[in-house]
Amino acid sequence: MLFKHVSELVEQAEKLDVPISELMIRQEVEETGKPREEIFAQMGHNLDIMEKSVHDGLEGVKSRSGLTGGDAVLIQKYMAEQETLSGNLLLDVVSKAVATNEVNAAMGTICATPTAGSAGCVPGVLFGLKPRLNPTREQMVRFLFTSGAFGQVVANNASISGAAGGCQAEVGSAAGMASAAAVEMAGGTPQQSAEAMSITLKNMLGLVCDPVAGLVEVPCVKRNAMGSSQAIVSADLALAGVTSTIPTDEVIGAMFRIGESMSPALKETAEGGLAATPTGRELAKKVFGPAMGSE
Amino acid sequence: MKFRSVFDIIGPVMIGPSSSHTAGAARIGKMARELFGRQPDWAKIHLYGSFAKTYQGHGTDVALVGGILGFSTYDERIKDALNLAKEANLDIEFIEEDGSSDHPNTARIQMGDEDGDFELVGISIGGGKAEITELNGFELRLTGQSPAILVMHNDRFGAIAAVTNVLAEHEINIGHMEVARKEEGKDAMMIIETDERIPDHIMDELNKCDHIMQVVTISE
């Protein structure tokens, strides 16, 4: 392996004078023995899937439970009809993250990044930035390799599973990955990508996984909305030269230990947090019958 | 390191809503189907931990059954797997277990038909990745990330060498191998992960080796 930690990722990229996406591609070639073109094409296929999920979500979908769907459409309509508070770029990012997770909740086809419940952050940021940065297709595919590099470090040193580490491990990781990749696509340095990842992940620490009725809907869709918005803001902070006092690898370590000490009720069992609120239980009953809501 | 490929992180392409509870579950079901070697007549699926608490919401049930029907994580038929199982005369029973398991997302699957039955334990470790940790009481670790073969054999000298010799003759490289037995001289098992998928004619050759009871392949 060319890298196991973010520090090595940055070091290698600086030493070889290549972007982090390039390191990830070289690592994948070394690991699988597959030709570079094949690996690039496979990632291109994943990009196409993401684009379609965003597109379908913006057309409007509804989940089988009826709990989620249609918010991406609402946000786009609001942007079209009036001046917004946070600005069109940010809301475009958010609507595209929401679109992806609404499609996921409706059992549509998505690309997990790194998981299905957190699938909105990376494409939301990527396709939300597309009109601003006008990236080439190669740059868009590279965005996914950079996201993957940071995600792989988190997965191997902490966790990307809500059942193991809470939502911080899923949407936290996804948002961190997206912010690091956004920095690279905007022309920032590998170190600035790492700073963006740190800043994002630090603000996601402790986030619990408490899905209402056990469905990947409430609050997952909106957590992706906020995760993608944090990714954009963190990327801007890093590009402005703001740094994280705690290095990225230590933030990832903290995330892992917080996940370990989190109660199982708050790790995708639908027994605590929002799932255990009166409304959460009521909805569970409505969706699955009394047995589910009485837990 | 568990996550070696970038496509473990950016991927899989899958039917929602949960990579661990839907895609990972589909992979467990599909590995079970491949290890059994054919479509069973019945399957009893015991669910533990988070799987037991949330399987309906996450579509874990349809995904496991879809996998047992041979569907991949991105196969849209997964949504309809319970009905398709009925049409295929596959009896399914789900059992929610209260007991704890080593991993929060664990399924124990028993399946069979008139010619035999077997039992395995699968875990979904996040991001759509899954592992088989137990098969017919043998502890093992099978990731489904590389092509693999499972060999059930009698615990006799030369059985392992016979199998590896066949692979060597065909220049097939072994990436990872585990051997296990329950007690001396009785049933034993080999799991062999290879760099490439083993073609049918080599499988036939392996099946003819002395002391070999059954050989099955598992695809990536």
Side-chain angles (χ1 to χ4, degrees), chain B residues 74-112:
Chain B
Y74 51 83
D75 195 319
E76 300 218 345
R77 289 176 296 175
I78 280 181
K79 283 187 247 187
D80 213 20
L82 295 180
N83 289 327
L84 292 170
K86 249 178 231 160
E87 282 172 24
N89 291 319
L90 167 59
D91 270 336
I92 301 281
E93 187 185 346
F94 284 98
I95 300 125
E96 296 165 35
E97 299 286 353
D98 290 330
S100 68
S101 54
D102 291 343
H103 190 276
N105 292 328
T106 299
R108 178 180 293 274
I109 303 177
Q110 297 157 308
M111 56 169 69

Side-chain angles (χ1 to χ4, degrees), chain A residues 1 24 28 31 39 43 46 104 107-110 112-116 144 152 155-156 214-216 268 271 288 292, chain B residues 1-7 9-17 19 21 50 53-54 56-58 76 79 127:
Chain A
M1 297 285 280
M24 188 71 246
E28 189 71 15
E31 181 63 34
I39 291 166
M43 195 59 96
N46 288 0
N104 181 57
M107 286 192 94
T109 306
I110 55 98
T113 55
T115 66
L144 300 180
Q152 196 177 48
N156 282 323
L215 298 164
V216 191
E268 213 173 340
E271 290 178 329
F288 293 118
M292 193 74 196
Chain B
M1 270 183 285
K2 282 181 184 258
F3 295 83
R4 303 196 69 92
S5 167
V6 69
F7 298 106
I9 306 298
I10 308 298
V13 171
M14 55 169 280
I15 304 296
S19 49
H21 290 65
S50 176
K53 304 275 184 213
T54 66
Q56 289 163 309
H58 283 124
E76 300 218 345
K79 283 187 247 187

Side-chain angles (χ1 to χ4, degrees), chain B residues 36-68:
Chain B
F36 190 60
R38 56 194 184 273
Q39 184 175 301
D41 290 341
W42 58 269
K44 282 186 186 171
I45 304 174
H46 303 256
L47 301 168
Y48 297 83
S50 176
F51 266 12
K53 304 275 184 213
T54 66
Y55 72 98
Q56 289 163 309
H58 283 124
T60 307
D61 47 357
V62 289
L64 281 163
V65 172
I68 293 172

Side-chain angles (χ1 to χ4, degrees), chain A residues 168 204-208 255 258 262:
Chain A
Q168 56 167 4
M204 293 274 181
L205 289 180
L207 197 60
V208 302
M255 192 263 265
I258 292 167
M262 221 177 246

